[in-house]
Amino acid sequence: MSKRLDNRKKYTRNVLKKSIISLLQEKPISSITVKEICEKADINRSTFYTHYSDHLDLLNKIENEVTEEMDAYLNSYSYEVEEEAIQITEKILEYINDNKLILRTLLNSNSSLHFEQKMMTLTRRYMLNNWMKESNVEEEKSKFLSTFVISGAIHVIKDWIDNDMDQTPGEMALMINSFVNYGFSYLED
C-alpha cells in the first residue's frame, strides 16, 4: 500500500511540475494561479495544497531539484586540469541539453530570477573551491571575478538555448572555457 501511495505522490508532483512548466512558457510566474495549474494537471486544489503551499513553492521545489542535480554533477569530478574543466562544462551542457525544456523555461524571463541566482551561487561555490583556491587571487577579487565569469557563461548558455542548441555541448564547452581562460585573445585565433 505504501508503494502505491508513493507512486501516486510521484505522479501528482510530476504532473503539477509539467503543468507549471507549460504555463511558464506562455506567461510570467506572477500571472499564474494555483487554479490554472490544477486545471492543466487535472488535479483538484486540495491535492495541490497537500504537496505545495502555493505556485511559488512548486516553482522553488523544481528549481531546487534541478540545482541539486547540477550540484551532484559538479561534485562528481575533479577540476584541476583545463581538459577536466572542459569535460565538466560539457557534462553540464549535456545535462542542459537533456533537460532543455525545463531549463529553457527556468531561465526565461517568465520564470523568477531565483533560479539563475541559484545557478550562480552553485557555480561560484564550485569555482571558489576548485579553481580560485589554487590561484593567488585575493578573496574579494575572486568573488568579483567569479561573478563576471559565471554571469557571462550563463548568458552564453541562454543564447545557446535560444538558438535551439545549434552547437554540440562539446563545442560550447570548449568555447566557454576558452572565453574564460583566454578572453579576447581567443577571438584573435
Side-chain angles (χ1 to χ4, degrees):
M1 183 76 169
S2 176
K3 183 174 174 123
R4 184 172 169 222
L5 285 176
D6 287 345
N7 287 338
R8 285 175 53 196
K9 275 185 180 180
K10 286 179 189 177
Y11 170 79
T12 300
R13 289 180 180 167
N14 192 38
V15 74
L16 289 169
K17 176 180 167 180
K18 287 179 180 179
S19 296
I20 196 171
I21 293 299
S22 176
L23 289 166
L24 280 168
Q25 293 170 23
E26 302 166 10
K27 58 186 177 177
I29 186 68
S30 60
S31 298
I32 295 174
T33 65
V34 170
K35 181 180 177 185
E36 288 175 298
I37 297 168
C38 292
E39 286 173 356
K40 193 158 198 73
D42 198 24
I43 302 281
N44 67 48
R45 287 171 50 131
S46 62
T47 301
F48 177 93
Y49 288 116
T50 300
H51 298 275
Y52 307 103
S53 59
D54 59 21
H55 64 298
L56 297 175
D57 181 37
L58 170 57
L59 180 59
N60 187 53
K61 297 263 180 10
I62 293 168
E63 292 173 349
N64 288 342
E65 179 184 305
V66 172
T67 304
E68 288 169 11
E69 287 177 6
M70 294 287 281
D71 191 30
Y73 267 165
L74 290 173
N75 286 319
S76 66
Y77 294 93
S78 172
Y79 316 104
E80 296 175 13
V81 179
E82 184 177 338
E83 289 86 29
E84 291 173 347
I86 293 169
Q87 289 172 349
I88 189 61
T89 304
E90 185 174 0
K91 290 288 183 197
I92 292 168
L93 292 168
E94 286 172 357
Y95 174 84
I96 291 169
N97 189 44
D98 292 344
N99 298 281
K100 60 183 146 198
L101 175 63
I102 192 167
L103 285 158
R104 173 180 282 155
T105 305
L106 291 176
L107 288 170
N108 79 19
S109 60
N110 285 338
S111 195
S112 72
L113 293 177
H114 294 126
F115 181 70
E116 193 169 317
Q117 189 60 46
K118 288 175 185 180
M119 290 291 96
M120 291 207 43
T121 300
L122 172 70
T123 310
R124 175 179 287 121
R125 187 177 68 234
Y126 148 75
M127 282 183 74
L128 293 176
N129 287 342
N130 292 289
W131 290 340
M132 298 293 187
K133 73 179 179 184
E134 294 180 14
S135 69
N136 292 327
V137 178
E138 61 187 76
E139 188 174 336
E140 183 71 15
K141 287 182 182 176
S142 67
K143 180 182 174 189
F144 289 122
L145 177 60
S146 65
T147 298
F148 179 79
V149 168
I150 296 164
S151 295
I154 286 174
H155 287 281
V156 167
I157 291 168
K158 287 169 82 170
D159 282 350
W160 178 59
I161 291 170
D162 289 343
N163 288 321
D164 291 324
M165 300 176 172
D166 56 352
Q167 300 200 2
T168 68
E171 292 168 332
M172 288 304 299
L174 185 60
M175 189 182 314
I176 290 169
N177 279 282
S178 295
F179 290 161
V180 169
N181 292 321
Y182 307 112
F184 284 114
S185 64
Y186 170 75
L187 298 174
E188 296 169 359
D189 291 339

